[in-house]
């Protein structure tokens, strides 16, 4: 009986992970469509969304932080920011007392365009989440935060040099 319960839990975890993979795929497709709608390369649109979202949270990004968020080298990020700034999609500002610190801001039209594109989905998602009690959403938020922390740790461990396998030296 105990093994059947364990198998049921394992199956539930597999279903949940599959659902999260599907959600990630939908998010990627939506991002691709937003990029097409804006007439931007998908990486450029992703960067614009990251910059706008960070601004909304009150924690604007630096170029280095954006580079981490979208997994680009600093050189590639600089080229991307140059394109976005030339097109008027973003600005770079020196808002801190330490003038070396650059803050990224989205162009005024970007938030309007993002609201226009994502607004209907935001309303649908809000309506869906409204069916769940706040305590459940708090638990789910904590669960997703734990998953993200686990993924971040795993990714950072992969960034460090991996030990060479015995076969690689043969």
């Amino acid at each position: 009986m105990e093994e059947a319960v364990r198998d049921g839990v394992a199956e539930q975890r597999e279903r949940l992970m599959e659902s999260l993979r599907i959600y990630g795929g939908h998010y990627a497709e939506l991002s691709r469509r937003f990029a097409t709608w804006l007439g931007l390369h998908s990486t450029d649109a992703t960067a614009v969304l990251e910059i706008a979202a960070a601004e909304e949270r009150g924690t604007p990004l630096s170029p280095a932080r954006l580079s981490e968020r979208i997994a680009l080298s600093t050189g590639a990020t600089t080229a991307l920011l140059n394109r976005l700034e030339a097109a008027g999609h973003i600005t770079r500002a020196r808002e801190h007392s330490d003038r070396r610190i650059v803050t990224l801001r989205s162009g005024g039209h970007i938030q309007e365009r993002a609201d226009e594109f994502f607004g209907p989905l935001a309303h649908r998602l809000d309506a869906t989440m409204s069916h769940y009690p706040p305590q459940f959403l708090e638990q789910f938020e904590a669960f997703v935060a734990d998953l993200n922390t686990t993924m971040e740790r795993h990714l950072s461990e992969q960034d460090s040099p991996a030990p060479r396998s015995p076969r690689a030296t043969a």
Side-chain angles (χ1 to χ4, degrees):
M1 179 71 169
E2 197 173 300
E3 188 173 322
V5 170
R6 274 196 306 258
D7 287 347
V9 169
E11 289 173 6
Q12 182 182 38
R13 288 176 180 167
E14 286 177 24
R15 286 191 309 271
L16 183 56
M17 293 308 294
E18 180 61 18
S19 292
L20 289 170
R21 280 190 289 277
I22 291 168
Y23 180 86
H26 290 315
Y27 183 85
E29 176 61 16
L30 194 61
S31 295
R32 186 194 64 73
R33 290 181 186 191
F34 180 65
T36 300
W37 189 69
L38 285 178
L40 295 175
H41 183 276
S42 61
T43 304
D44 291 12
T46 299
V48 165
L49 284 174
E50 287 290 336
I51 292 166
E55 272 185 292
E56 271 193 8
R57 290 189 305 269
T59 56
L61 296 175
S62 67
R65 184 70 179 125
L66 176 65
S67 179
E68 293 170 8
R69 302 272 311 167
I70 62 175
L72 286 181
S73 68
T74 55
T77 300
T78 298
L80 175 143
L81 292 174
N82 289 342
R83 283 193 308 274
L84 293 176
E85 191 170 40
H89 297 310
I90 63 119
T91 59
R92 291 180 253 204
R94 297 187 188 281
E95 303 169 352
H96 300 278
S97 58
D98 182 345
R99 303 294 292 161
R100 295 172 295 176
I101 298 174
V102 174
T103 301
L104 301 173
R105 300 278 179 189
S106 60
H109 68 287
I110 290 296
Q111 193 59 54
E112 292 171 13
R113 301 293 311 269
D115 289 346
E116 181 182 348
F117 187 85
F118 291 105
L121 175 62
H123 292 296
R124 286 179 170 177
L125 291 173
D126 190 51
T128 297
M129 288 188 282
S130 72
H131 298 292
Y132 296 92
Q135 300 85 352
F136 175 82
L137 294 176
E138 286 173 17
Q139 287 178 322
F140 189 72
E141 185 179 9
F143 170 71
V144 171
D146 286 347
L147 289 178
N148 284 329
T149 299
T150 300
M151 291 289 281
E152 287 167 4
R153 280 190 197 133
H154 182 75
L155 289 169
S156 69
E157 288 170 5
Q158 285 189 330
D159 286 342
S160 57
R164 297 186 70 168
S165 70
R167 291 183 188 162
T169 57

